[in-house]
Amino acid sequence: MDYYILTIAFYLSVLTYYIGVLILALPIPWYGIKKWGPILIVDGIKSAILVFSFNIIILSVAYISEVIGINWYNFNAWIVGKISELVLLYTFLFSLQTVASKVISGITGIFTSPLLSLITYSIILLETFLIVGAVVYSYCSKFIAIGILLHNIPFRISRAAGSTLIAFAIIYFIGLPLLPTFIETITTPTITPKIDLNTLKTGVAYGTIYLKDIIGKPIPYAILKITMPNDKSKILALYISNSEGIINALSLERGLPADEEYLVEVEYLGRIIPVTPNPINPKQHYKHQNETPYIKLVLKAIDTIVYRYISFSFEEGTIINYIKTNATLMKLIIKCNNKKYIELRIPDEIELVKIYDNNTEIVPIRKEILEWYGVTYTYYKVEVEEGVHNLEFHFNFNNFTPDKVKPNASEVPYLSNIIGEDNIIEAIHRLIALFFFTYFIAPLSYFFILISVTYGLASFIGGRRAMRIPVRVI
Amino acid sequence: MEIVDFIRDITIKVIAIAWMLFFLTWVIGWALRGSPIPFLRVKRAGQGLIEDSIWAAFWLAMGSTVFGLVAYIVSTVGLPFPAPPTP
């Protein structure tokens, strides 16, 4: 196809040449017409040179590309990667807008809508680059051939267009794949955000978590850690339940993961209490109040009872048949198939007075004083033999104040944590400004640089002024 | 190859017309130059026409040579490049 176009281009240059000769031979002594003769003769010769230079141009482009080290695969991969990052940011911001605006008063689309538009523009621009890149890569030689054809049409009718097309194909084939290098060069010294965009995949939702023990009583002042299922060491959030065993994740910087499964770890007085459900699929816990998506999550302990800040943990296989409590006493009837242990964790200033097993006083087999986030507690281990046991635990709460059980740990609010800033709104604005600069303004500047280079090369190929052979015309 | 044939047809016609015009111009040029009119401008125009027609005849005759030369030189220059240096 290219050679067919070039054949036409060659014959056009021959035609141009002979038209020039014909005009030169005209018996009309009128300079306005006659001047075209020598111009067209030279144009014809130049056009023929251009036609035969087709291979040289193609080879030169390939040679220069290879010398510079251009890789179209990297260019495409870079753009696709950046688009997916922007899409991730868009999705995150969109969910923040829809969810946060309904749950938290004061947050509306006013602050997110312009940011969403900026991301959209950047995505569209990068997509355009991808398309331009694909077109240039696939049709470079065809563009050059068509450019030569247009360049060779007699009387310079489409010479500028042809030159521009040739220059466009050459410059964009060589220059476009350098876009990632250009952007990375100009953005490296600027402040890059601390955020790892992959964490945004988890989205954001708002709601309340209730921590309950086996019998549905709240677990107060427990630490809840939210982690990724694939990387337990990466803490997404850390919250502390209040005295009612409730965690409110309702302010803007708090929140909970919304789109991906996550693991929870409930820790109370130094023990990680196994809870159900775990892992948690947030989509199963949405409640709709006044058409507002809202997460209500109840985490129920599997093996622990919390009675007035005292934790009782039972081994697997212990069946609890009866529980009765009053101000200082806890009564239990349990059944064990073999020898079992019961662990008690009692905060400081609560005194374990006595333990009765089937009306016989027993003593714990182990006692230890430990500390958990600044809370001192006593650990007791009680042994029970096989069979049914009527247990009674007597306590003395005289000097106890609940505040002392509150762990001295700092909370890690979810949204602040994944964004990496305390001031969410400012952080999001800065992040998007940086993205807009990197993926919109910088590529656009590069695009204009290439356009100006194309213009320069087009002037070189097309010639700014007509060149004439040294023949005098009347 | 219809377009190519079409362009070639036109080119052949242009060449034929150009030869005829050359002869016409040459004759007119000499006629003006040799006319018994004492106007220098007319005679100079005749001189110009003769010169132009001769140049036109020259480029007409040289046409195929010119294009052959272009094809030869450019094709010789466009030999494959040596392999680029690898870092």
Side-chain angles (χ1 to χ4, degrees):
Chain A
M1 186 67 189
D2 292 350
Y3 286 96
Y4 177 61
I5 295 169
L6 287 175
T7 312
I8 299 172
F10 175 70
Y11 281 106
L12 280 174
S13 65
V14 174
L15 180 64
T16 309
Y17 177 89
Y18 282 113
I19 290 175
V21 175
L22 184 138
I23 290 172
L24 195 62
L26 276 178
I28 309 164
W30 180 19
Y31 178 73
I33 293 175
K34 279 272 177 147
K35 71 167 186 191
W36 277 100
I39 292 173
L40 288 183
I41 290 171
V42 172
D43 278 0
I45 296 170
K46 275 173 68 183
S47 305
I49 293 173
L50 203 57
V51 170
F52 288 105
S53 304
F54 177 75
N55 274 333
I56 299 177
I57 296 170
I58 298 290
L59 283 172
S60 312
V61 169
Y63 183 79
I64 294 168
S65 308
E66 211 166 324
V67 169
I68 296 175
I70 279 159
N71 188 332
W72 278 92
Y73 176 79
N74 285 353
F75 168 76
N76 288 336
W78 184 85
I79 288 202
V80 169
K82 296 306 164 192
I83 288 173
S84 65
E85 274 182 16
L86 285 167
V87 168
L88 195 64
L89 194 63
Y90 185 92
T91 321
F92 174 77
L93 209 63
F94 190 75
S95 71
L96 188 69
Q97 178 188 318
T98 45
V99 175
S101 61
K102 285 176 181 166
V103 179
I104 303 160
S105 57
I107 302 296
T108 59
I110 293 168
F111 102 93
T112 44
S113 294
L115 303 181
L116 286 174
S117 309
L118 293 186
I119 301 175
T120 313
Y121 297 145
S122 307
I123 293 173
I124 291 171
L125 188 81
L126 288 181
E127 290 278 5
T128 313
F129 267 87
L130 206 58
I131 294 165
V132 171
V135 169
V136 169
Y137 180 71
S138 311
Y139 299 112
C140 177
S141 64
K142 192 156 277 140
F143 279 161
I144 294 174
I146 294 171
I148 292 173
L149 175 72
L150 290 172
H151 181 276
N152 289 8
I153 290 175
F155 294 103
R156 308 182 154 194
I157 292 167
S158 52
R159 190 182 186 139
S163 312
T164 309
L165 201 57
I166 298 168
F168 167 79
I170 295 172
I171 295 300
Y172 278 74
F173 191 90
I174 297 170
L176 202 56
L178 296 174
L179 174 75
T181 319
F182 174 78
I183 288 176
E184 270 153 30
T185 309
I186 63 164
T187 53
T188 308
T190 55
I191 307 151
T192 44
K194 288 177 272 177
I195 180 170
D196 172 14
L197 279 175
N198 278 328
T199 53
L200 295 186
K201 270 188 198 158
T202 48
V204 63
Y206 291 91
T208 312
I209 299 174
Y210 298 87
L211 303 180
K212 307 263 187 191
D213 68 1
I214 307 174
I215 51 170
K217 289 269 165 63
I219 306 176
Y221 299 134
I223 290 178
L224 175 81
K225 275 184 200 161
I226 297 176
T227 55
M228 303 274 264
N230 48 7
D231 182 9
K232 274 192 169 182
S233 62
K234 193 173 168 82
I235 293 173
L236 290 176
L238 190 152
Y239 294 126
I240 299 169
S241 64
N242 62 10
S243 57
E244 308 294 319
I246 297 169
I247 294 166
N248 270 321
L250 283 172
S251 56
L252 180 64
E253 77 281 359
R254 288 166 78 88
L256 296 165
D259 297 326
E260 295 211 340
E261 248 187 19
Y262 57 89
L263 287 175
V264 288
E265 202 178 278
V266 178
E267 192 177 344
Y268 181 64
L269 291 180
R271 179 168 188 268
I272 291 167
I273 301 172
V275 289
T276 177
N278 198 18
I280 290 154
N281 181 358
K283 292 192 174 82
Q284 292 171 351
H285 299 280
Y286 273 110
K287 297 277 173 283
H288 288 268
Q289 291 177 343
N290 309 325
E291 296 179 13
T292 302
Y294 171 85
I295 281 187
K296 187 186 170 188
L297 181 61
V298 179
L299 297 175
K300 201 166 176 188
I302 295 170
D303 62 359
T304 301
I305 295 175
V306 177
Y307 156 72
R308 296 195 67 185
Y309 301 96
I310 302 161
S311 147
F312 295 78
S313 306
F314 302 92
E315 267 194 288
E316 204 181 326
T318 312
I319 301 157
I320 303 163
N321 288 332
Y322 174 83
I323 301 167
K324 194 180 175 187
T325 56
N326 67 24
T328 59
L329 170 77
M330 168 122 175
K331 255 183 166 179
L332 285 170
I333 297 176
I334 59 165
K335 192 180 164 189
C336 312
N337 295 332
N338 45 27
K339 194 205 278 182
K340 297 280 177 195
Y341 295 100
I342 301 171
E343 291 177 341
L344 272 78
R345 287 174 175 80
I346 304 171
D348 205 14
E349 289 168 4
I350 299 178
E351 191 190 341
L352 175 63
V353 183
K354 265 169 190 164
I355 309 173
Y356 292 100
D357 181 5
N358 295 334
N359 295 323
T360 316
E361 191 180 339
I362 57 166
V363 282
I365 58 161
R366 200 169 141 201
K367 182 187 174 186
E368 229 176 304
I369 294 171
L370 300 166
E371 200 180 298
W372 171 72
Y373 290 101
V375 180
T376 316
Y377 67 96
T378 316
Y379 168 80
Y380 292 97
K381 197 168 186 179
V382 179
E383 189 182 70
V384 283
E385 295 294 331
E386 185 190 339
V388 178
H389 297 269
N390 191 343
L391 295 168
E392 276 182 30
F393 298 89
H394 293 263
F395 300 101
N396 180 359
F397 291 91
N398 284 348
N399 300 320
F400 176 68
T401 44
D403 280 351
K404 294 211 167 157
V405 190
K406 200 170 179 181
N408 186 16
S410 23
E411 290 198 320
V412 179
Y414 171 69
L415 194 56
S416 295
N417 185 31
I418 62 166
I419 290 203
E421 291 274 345
D422 290 339
N423 190 341
I424 304 292
I425 294 179
E426 196 205 326
I428 289 176
H429 277 85
R430 198 168 55 237
L431 181 70
I432 287 163
L434 191 74
F435 267 71
F436 188 66
F437 173 74
T438 314
Y439 303 126
F440 188 84
I441 294 174
L444 210 58
S445 323
Y446 190 67
F447 200 73
F448 283 117
I449 291 171
L450 290 187
I451 286 178
S452 66
V453 178
T454 302
Y455 176 75
L457 186 64
S459 306
F460 175 72
I461 295 168
R464 283 188 188 82
R465 275 181 297 166
M467 203 205 279
R468 295 173 53 193
I469 50 168
V471 173
R472 188 186 70 83
V473 285
I474 1 172
Chain B
M1 298 292 266
E2 289 161 9
I3 301 171
V4 175
D5 290 339
F6 171 71
I7 298 166
R8 283 171 77 177
D9 275 359
I10 295 178
T11 312
I12 289 162
K13 282 174 192 158
V14 167
I15 293 169
I17 296 167
W19 275 119
M20 286 184 250
L21 279 177
F22 143 71
F23 188 67
L24 183 66
T25 310
W26 187 76
V27 169
I28 293 173
W30 274 115
L32 287 177
R33 207 182 166 200
S35 62
I37 315 166
F39 296 141
L40 204 61
R41 282 187 67 182
V42 175
K43 294 206 169 200
R44 213 176 274 155
Q47 169 73 29
L49 285 180
I50 293 163
E51 269 183 39
D52 281 0
S53 64
I54 297 295
W55 273 116
F58 172 75
W59 290 118
L60 268 173
M62 290 297 285
S64 50
T65 317
V66 167
F67 285 105
L69 205 66
V70 167
Y72 176 73
I73 295 171
V74 181
S75 305
T76 313
V77 173
L79 286 174
F81 288 14
T86 44

